[in-house]
Amino acid sequence: LNMAIVPYHIWKNLNASSYFGFSQNTTFVGGGPFLISSYTPSQSVILIKNPNFWDPKYTPHIDKLILEIFTSQTSQYAALSSGQIDASIITPTELSSAQSNPNLKIFFSQTASNYFITFNQNPNGTGNPALRDIHVREALAYALNVSYLSKQGYLGYATPIDALVPVQSSFYSPYLKPWPYNLTLANQILNQYGYNYGPNGIRETPSGIPLKFNLYVVSSSAYAIEQTLAPILVYNWSKIGVQVNVQIYDQATVLNDMKHYNYDMAIWGYTG
């Protein structure tokens, strides 16, 4: 379950409903192979080897690990190229440059990256109520070319699938295909259910609410691909009379607005 072992005598006194993580002045408590030596917000986390880790097979072979925090993928890759840092994940757009750098060694690995768009359908939130209609969401899905998005995000280094099980797994099913790209059908659905064009060229609900949505994207370098794909989503949806505005915020802001349903849609992703 990927659950951590933690000291009961300390954590039993914490109120889980009001505890939202640590701050700079928190005393860190855990039971992993590393201990947190120091934490400087927005700069770095310094880890040291835990000599008392419970499983000797996984006791670290390094004494100290410094995790530097970068505000953008560009600055992170620049630090890697200059030798400021020893290792980093790179994006496909940086691969060509990295391959030509004699000081860098590239390691390829197979993984599954999951990208999804979450729609705010809570009637008590502030999201556009049109997203509560499954036909609107279907039209939005038909208007996205998944293969093209994958090519733009990963430059040909990824295979689009329609499951959480990756291609290299023996449990992967080749019969599950990505949602088909069909602009004609997307427009037909919106026409059929009364989402006609308004005077400004944007479709409206039968009650006159424009299909104008805000799309949240996280600003950190870990979401570089989402940032690349967001303008393509905007362009695709404009083809069916839907206007989408990209709003880029830090992760804490996005999560807080999602938690309180104060958003329309957000593109999210994680790698397993």
Side-chain angles (χ1 to χ4, degrees):
L1 293 177
N2 196 29
M3 299 292 287
I5 298 176
V6 296
Y8 172 74
H9 68 286
I10 293 178
W11 287 91
K12 71 175 182 178
N13 297 318
L14 291 177
N15 185 341
S17 64
S18 61
Y19 180 73
F20 290 103
F22 55 83
S23 64
Q24 184 177 7
N25 300 318
T26 300
T27 299
F28 299 101
V29 179
F34 284 98
L35 304 174
I36 297 181
S37 174
S38 66
Y39 166 57
T40 305
S42 302
Q43 293 186 32
S44 66
V45 179
I46 299 179
L47 306 177
I48 58 176
K49 178 169 65 175
N50 182 0
N52 302 312
F53 185 55
W54 64 275
D55 190 343
K57 297 193 303 293
Y58 294 102
T59 299
H61 295 283
I62 56 176
D63 297 317
K64 182 168 71 172
L65 178 63
I66 303 173
L67 302 178
E68 293 197 27
I69 301 170
F70 294 89
T71 57
S72 71
Q73 181 65 28
T74 300
S75 60
Q76 179 173 303
Y77 179 68
L80 177 68
S81 301
S82 65
Q84 175 186 334
I85 58 177
D86 299 302
S88 170
I89 293 176
I90 64 173
T91 65
T93 56
E94 298 153 349
L95 182 59
S96 177
S97 173
Q99 288 174 325
S100 63
N101 189 331
N103 297 318
L104 296 181
K105 173 67 176 177
I106 301 173
F107 294 90
F108 289 92
S109 65
Q110 291 182 322
T111 184
S113 295
N114 302 281
Y115 294 92
F116 57 93
I117 300 169
T118 171
F119 300 110
N120 180 8
Q121 302 170 55
N122 192 315
N124 298 317
T126 60
N128 190 317
L131 290 173
R132 300 173 203 159
D133 185 351
I134 189 173
H135 303 108
V136 172
R137 302 195 302 274
E138 285 180 339
L140 293 173
Y142 277 120
L144 295 182
N145 188 333
V146 176
S147 296
Y148 180 77
L149 289 168
S150 176
K151 183 178 179 180
Q152 294 301 307
Y154 282 94
L155 303 182
Y157 290 94
T159 301
I161 59 175
D162 193 44
L164 296 179
V165 181
V167 175
Q168 62 268 23
S169 170
S170 60
F171 295 99
Y172 169 73
S173 172
Y175 301 105
L176 295 174
K177 302 296 183 182
W179 194 280
Y181 173 56
N182 193 327
L183 283 177
T184 300
L185 183 54
N187 279 300
Q188 288 177 349
I189 291 173
L190 294 176
N191 290 335
Q192 179 181 353
Y193 290 95
Y195 291 91
N196 300 317
Y197 282 92
N200 56 0
I202 301 173
R203 289 184 184 269
E204 299 178 346
T205 67
S207 61
I209 300 175
L211 297 192
K212 297 173 61 175
F213 309 119
N214 293 322
L215 174 65
Y216 274 13
V217 181
V218 178
S219 59
S220 74
S221 60
Y223 292 82
I225 292 180
E226 287 92 329
Q227 296 162 19
T228 299
L229 298 181
I232 303 176
L233 303 182
V234 172
Y235 176 76
N236 285 171
W237 285 329
S238 70
K239 297 295 184 180
I240 59 172
V242 175
Q243 179 179 313
V244 176
N245 301 310
V246 177
Q247 297 187 326
I248 300 179
Y249 296 110
D250 61 272
Q251 182 167 311
T253 299
V254 174
L255 286 174
N256 183 69
D257 282 359
M258 291 173 65
K259 175 183 177 182
H260 295 96
Y261 301 99
N262 295 327
Y263 75 107
D264 290 327
M265 58 176 72
I267 181 172
W268 205 257
Y270 60 90
T271 299

